[in-house]
Amino acid sequence: MAELLRVADLVKQFDLPGTKKRLTAVNGVSFTLGEGETLGVVGESGSGKTTLGRCVLRLLDATAGAVEFMSMDLATLSRSDLRHLRANMQIVYQNPGEAFDPTMTIRGIIEDPLKFHTNMSPRERRAEVHQLTERVGLDDDLLDKRPRELTAGARQRVAIARAIATKPKLIVLDEPTSALDLSVRRRIIDLLIELQRDLGVSYMFISHDLSTIRKISTRVAIMYLGEIMELGPTQELYDTPRHPYSRALLLSVSRPDPTSQARRFPLAGEIPSPIDLPPGCPLSSRCPLVEEICEEQRPRAVDVDGHNGDWWAMCHPMGAAAPLEWLGRLDATETRREARRRDSAAIGPAHFGRLIGRETQRGAQEHHD
C-alpha cells in the first residue's frame, strides 16, 4: 500500500489570552496513512482529535512537526500551491448545516468545488452535480432546496457529495455520524464504505463512537490528552488492546449481552490539564500499572509482538515486559478490580456492624492503654 500521508511529531498549541500560558491540544503525534486506507481516530472529548484533523489539512497551522501529503510538506507550500492541493484533500464536518451557506441551494453547494478546481463548462458542471447526487443517494428534486429544508441525514449526504466532487485522495471525516440517529448513521457508514471501494479515497475518520470506528476503520489510533496512546490494526487492537488507556476505553463500552462477563479496567482520578501537562506519560497519574519512570520520562512507541511499526503503544512498562507477561499483568489488574467490585456489592448491614464493632473495640483498647 503506497503511503499518502505522513505526520511526524505534530504539535499544536494555543495561546491563552491575557496570560503567558499555552494550551497543548496535540502533543507529538506521528502516524502514516496509506492510499485507500481508513484510519480511525478515537478518544474522549478534548483529546485533540478534531485539532489533529484540521492540522492535517492545514486548516490550522501546526506549532511544530511536519505533515507530508503526496510527498509534499504542507508547511512549506504557498497559499496558491495549497489552494490547488485542496482538490485532493477535503473535509466533512459533524454538522454540515453550519458549514453550508444557508442562502445557497443544494445545487450551488455541490457545484462550488467544481467551479474552483475544474475547467468544466456550466453544462458539464450541471451534469456532474446530477451524477454526484445520484451517487450519494439524493433525489434531484432536492437540488433547488436550501440546507434548512433537508433532514440531517440528507444534509450529510450533500456534504459527502461536495467532498467527493473533486475526486480527492484524502477526506477527513470529523464526527460525521454523531448527530444522526442509528438507522441513518448505518446508511451513511455503508455509503462511505461503498465510495471508498469505488473511488479508492483514503479516510481519516474522527469519532468517539467505538462501534462506528470498528466498522469502518482499517487501523485505529487511540488518543488521550493530545497524544496517540496506541495505534494498530482495528480487529486485533479491539480484541487485545495493549495500552492501559486503550484497555480502559474499549472495556468501558456496555455489552448488550446481560450474561457477558466482560471486565472493566480501572483508571483513577481526573484527566490532567492540557495547560500544565505532566513531564512523563500523560496517563501516569491515573494508571494502575504506573512505575517511577512513567512519571519522569515521556514513553516512546513500543512495537506490539513484532508488527514492525504497524501496531505500537506508548508505554514504558509494556516495553520492559515480555508480551505474555504484559497481557498477564493487564488481565490481573482487571481481575483485582472485579474482585473489589464484588466485595463492595456484598457489603450489607451485618458487615458494617462488624466493622463498627472492631473500630469500637480498637478505640476502647487505645483509651485503656
Side-chain angles (χ1 to χ4, degrees):
M1 183 186 302
E3 184 179 286
L4 178 68
L5 174 71
R6 174 175 290 273
V7 177
D9 298 321
L10 190 70
V11 176
K12 178 59 182 177
Q13 296 177 321
F14 296 94
D15 293 326
L16 298 179
T19 74
K20 295 182 179 180
K21 296 183 177 180
R22 310 189 87 184
L23 184 149
T24 303
V26 177
N27 191 22
V29 165
S30 300
F31 65 88
T32 61
L33 178 65
E35 293 181 357
E37 184 185 20
T38 298
L39 177 68
V41 182
V42 65
E44 299 170 89
S45 296
S47 61
K49 306 185 301 295
T50 293
T51 302
L52 174 61
R54 295 187 180 189
C55 287
V56 163
L57 297 178
R58 206 182 148 187
L59 297 176
L60 292 172
D61 287 327
T63 304
V67 177
E68 293 183 7
F69 177 66
M70 297 173 60
S71 301
M72 289 178 280
D73 185 348
L74 296 190
T76 65
L77 296 181
S78 66
R79 183 182 294 271
S80 175
D81 290 339
L82 186 61
R83 183 184 178 91
H84 284 102
L85 193 62
R86 293 282 182 213
N88 280 308
M89 47 199 299
Q90 295 290 314
I91 186 169
V92 174
Y93 293 100
Q94 177 178 354
N95 186 353
E98 296 179 358
F100 296 157
D101 183 339
T103 65
M104 293 181 68
T105 64
I106 301 305
R107 185 191 309 278
I109 290 170
I110 299 176
E111 188 180 8
D112 242 9
L114 299 174
K115 290 180 180 179
F116 286 110
H117 296 295
T118 73
N119 296 318
M120 292 181 179
S121 67
R123 177 178 294 181
E124 289 171 331
R125 291 199 302 266
R126 191 177 184 88
E128 183 67 14
V129 168
H130 282 279
Q131 291 182 13
L132 288 166
T133 53
E134 181 180 359
R135 172 163 261 174
V136 299
L138 289 171
D139 295 329
D140 280 352
D141 58 6
L142 298 179
L143 289 175
D144 295 319
K145 295 183 180 295
R146 301 293 193 275
R148 65 179 179 276
E149 300 176 79
L150 272 59
T151 64
R155 284 196 296 269
Q156 201 59 282
R157 289 177 186 270
V158 172
I160 294 170
R162 183 176 66 171
I164 66 172
T166 58
K167 298 178 175 57
K169 293 184 178 296
L170 169 67
I171 300 178
V172 173
L173 299 136
D174 187 6
E175 300 274 11
T177 61
S178 63
L180 308 176
D181 63 45
L182 288 176
S183 60
V184 177
R185 184 181 306 176
R186 184 179 65 251
R187 290 195 290 270
I188 292 294
I189 292 300
D190 289 342
L191 170 63
L192 290 170
I193 292 172
E194 178 185 339
L195 290 172
Q196 185 176 54
R197 184 177 62 245
D198 295 343
L199 304 176
V201 62
S202 299
Y203 294 145
M204 182 176 169
F205 194 100
I206 298 167
S207 181
H208 64 272
D209 186 336
L210 294 169
S211 60
T212 299
I213 287 286
R214 184 168 194 167
K215 180 178 174 77
I216 196 172
S217 302
T218 312
R219 292 184 299 147
V220 176
I222 295 182
M223 290 193 70
Y224 176 78
L225 205 61
E227 300 187 32
I228 293 179
M229 297 286 96
E230 184 170 359
L231 188 151
T234 303
Q235 296 306 322
E236 290 92 330
L237 193 153
Y238 268 67
D239 290 341
T240 55
R242 303 305 174 92
H243 195 282
Y245 179 72
S246 304
R247 186 156 289 218
L249 183 68
L250 296 175
L251 292 179
S252 68
V253 179
S254 299
R255 304 304 197 272
D257 181 4
T259 64
S260 173
Q261 300 298 312
R263 298 187 292 268
R264 304 296 174 92
F265 194 84
L267 287 182
E270 299 294 329
I271 300 175
S273 169
I275 302 171
D276 187 20
L277 292 174
C281 174
L283 193 69
S284 60
S285 63
R286 307 181 64 200
C287 181
L289 300 176
V290 64
E291 298 178 1
E292 184 176 349
I293 191 174
C294 304
E295 299 173 342
E296 298 172 351
Q297 297 180 22
R298 190 172 175 222
R300 296 181 178 180
V302 178
D303 274 353
V304 174
D305 302 348
H307 274 72
N308 298 320
D310 187 50
W311 184 4
W312 50 264
M314 303 280 280
C315 184
H316 285 300
M318 175 185 155
L324 292 180
E325 176 194 347
W326 178 244
L327 288 174
R329 288 180 64 184
L330 292 174
D331 290 340
T333 302
E334 294 171 36
T335 302
R336 288 196 298 271
R337 171 62 178 264
E338 280 300 297
R340 287 196 297 270
R341 185 189 63 79
R342 286 194 299 270
D343 290 344
S344 298
I347 291 177
H351 181 80
F352 277 113
R354 290 194 296 273
L355 289 176
I356 292 171
R358 284 200 296 269
E359 288 301 314
T360 303
Q361 266 189 330
R362 185 179 296 113
Q365 182 64 39
E366 290 174 353
H367 178 74
H368 181 269
D369 293 343

